[in-house]
Amino acid sequence: MGKVIAIANQKGGVGKTTTTVNLAACLGALDKNILLIDADPQANASSGLGIDVDNVELGTYQLLEHNCTANEVIQKTSATNVDIIPSHIDLVAIEIELVNMEEREYMLKQAIEPVIDNYDFILIDCAPSLGLLTLNALTAADSVIIPIQCEYFALEGLGKLLNTIKSIQKIHNELLDIEGLLLTMYDSRLRLSNQVVEEVQNHFSEMVFKSIIQRNVRLSEAPSHGESIIYYDVNSKGATNYLSLAKEIINKQ
């Protein structure tokens, strides 16, 4: 049975989508079958894996509405062993449309149940908010990866997210676990980056991944080519970092 991992942080620009796309591609390259669910209306994970997001007719929105099955919305991507349920800007409307539905927090969990056994890992790219979309992702997930930027306000908002996770564990998903905190955008030349790493490791010790994602130009360029870093530049620091993370996650299972 596949493990469902949400990549979440309500702060924008911390590397959620970069992590989801590149972790999916690296796990796929290591012979794991992966499904990526794009649960962000910005649809950057979809375009980052070569999907033409303007022409997505069936995706996360239709799946959450229960207008079609998971098998009907799954598409192949440019990455080996990686399938995707793509997003589209129309996903913005789902927060309002789900509000009055019964079991609204379980829509994603129910929708993906039939396909979970087809994959080793299912990764969910969450929107930068703690709204109903993220709530659905965390209710459907077995665990959550929290990317943390190695910058000044790194830990701001983390307490709020951890409280949200606690309340989801109490009410909707008692088995939800924290897969790990992932330090991103690390620059070894900056004293601040090193201070943040030290602070996070001191505070959260065992919860922090050993793999750290370094700031890398090639990592920023890859999405504009509709490719993950491992296909765009396999010798880059970014590819090495995400392969290391993928191996760490496989070894934890």
Side-chain angles (χ1 to χ4, degrees):
M1 186 165 156
K3 181 167 193 179
V4 184
I5 304 176
I7 292 85
N9 190 331
Q10 76 273 27
K11 273 173 76 75
V14 296
K16 278 190 300 294
T17 300
T18 302
T19 294
T20 313
V21 166
N22 293 304
L23 177 56
C26 289
L27 287 166
L30 295 169
D31 281 337
K32 300 295 178 186
N33 284 324
I34 309 300
L35 174 63
L36 190 160
I37 300 173
D38 192 346
D40 184 350
Q42 295 174 79
N44 292 337
S46 303
S47 59
L49 283 174
I51 302 292
D52 178 1
V53 294
D54 293 329
N55 292 313
V56 168
E57 289 178 9
L58 294 176
T60 314
Y61 176 72
Q62 288 75 17
L63 187 70
L64 284 165
E65 288 268 285
H66 288 196
N67 288 337
C68 49
T69 66
N71 279 315
E72 289 173 307
V73 297
I74 290 171
Q75 293 186 31
K76 292 263 173 242
T77 72
S78 54
T80 307
N81 297 326
V82 181
D83 291 345
I84 191 167
I85 295 177
S87 181
H88 184 273
I89 192 64
D90 60 9
L91 189 58
V92 167
I94 202 75
E95 300 261 343
I96 299 158
E97 291 173 24
L98 286 181
V99 163
N100 297 318
M101 289 194 180
E102 280 183 38
E103 300 207 313
R104 60 190 182 179
E105 298 89 356
Y106 299 91
M107 290 298 185
L108 185 60
K109 184 180 174 69
Q110 292 163 1
I112 63 172
E113 250 161 28
V115 298
I116 282 183
D117 291 342
N118 303 346
Y119 297 95
D120 297 305
F121 293 96
I122 296 175
L123 304 182
I124 309 174
D125 185 30
C126 295
S129 74
L130 292 177
L132 260 178
L133 267 173
T134 300
L135 193 53
N136 261 272
L138 294 173
T139 302
D142 297 307
S143 65
V144 54
I145 291 173
I146 304 171
I148 297 175
Q149 199 174 356
C150 293
E151 293 196 353
Y152 185 66
F153 292 114
L155 298 180
E156 191 188 64
L158 184 59
K160 195 174 177 188
L161 178 59
L162 293 173
N163 285 338
T164 300
I165 289 168
K166 270 186 198 150
S167 65
I168 288 169
Q169 286 166 331
K170 269 188 205 158
I171 305 165
H172 304 297
N173 182 4
E174 61 183 24
L175 300 176
L176 181 64
D177 197 9
I178 293 177
E179 189 74 22
L181 306 181
L182 176 68
L183 290 156
T184 63
M185 303 181 196
Y186 171 69
D187 187 338
S188 59
R189 296 166 303 177
L190 299 178
R191 200 168 76 190
L192 179 63
S193 268
N194 292 304
Q195 283 172 341
V196 171
V197 169
E198 208 176 299
E199 195 177 342
V200 172
Q201 288 173 340
N202 286 343
H203 265 77
F204 299 101
S205 57
E206 292 301 303
M207 286 166 65
V208 186
F209 284 111
K210 289 182 178 64
S211 307
I212 294 177
I213 311 303
Q214 292 165 280
R215 210 175 261 289
N216 180 236
V217 174
R218 306 297 275 169
L219 209 47
S220 311
E221 291 171 354
S224 63
H225 296 267
E227 289 181 338
S228 66
I229 189 63
I230 199 169
Y231 292 95
Y232 182 64
D233 186 353
V234 72
N235 297 313
S236 67
K237 269 186 195 163
T240 306
N241 294 163
Y242 276 111
L243 270 169
S244 163
L245 176 65
K247 288 172 186 167
E248 199 174 335
I249 286 170
I250 290 169
N251 292 337
K252 275 178 81 174
Q253 305 317 312

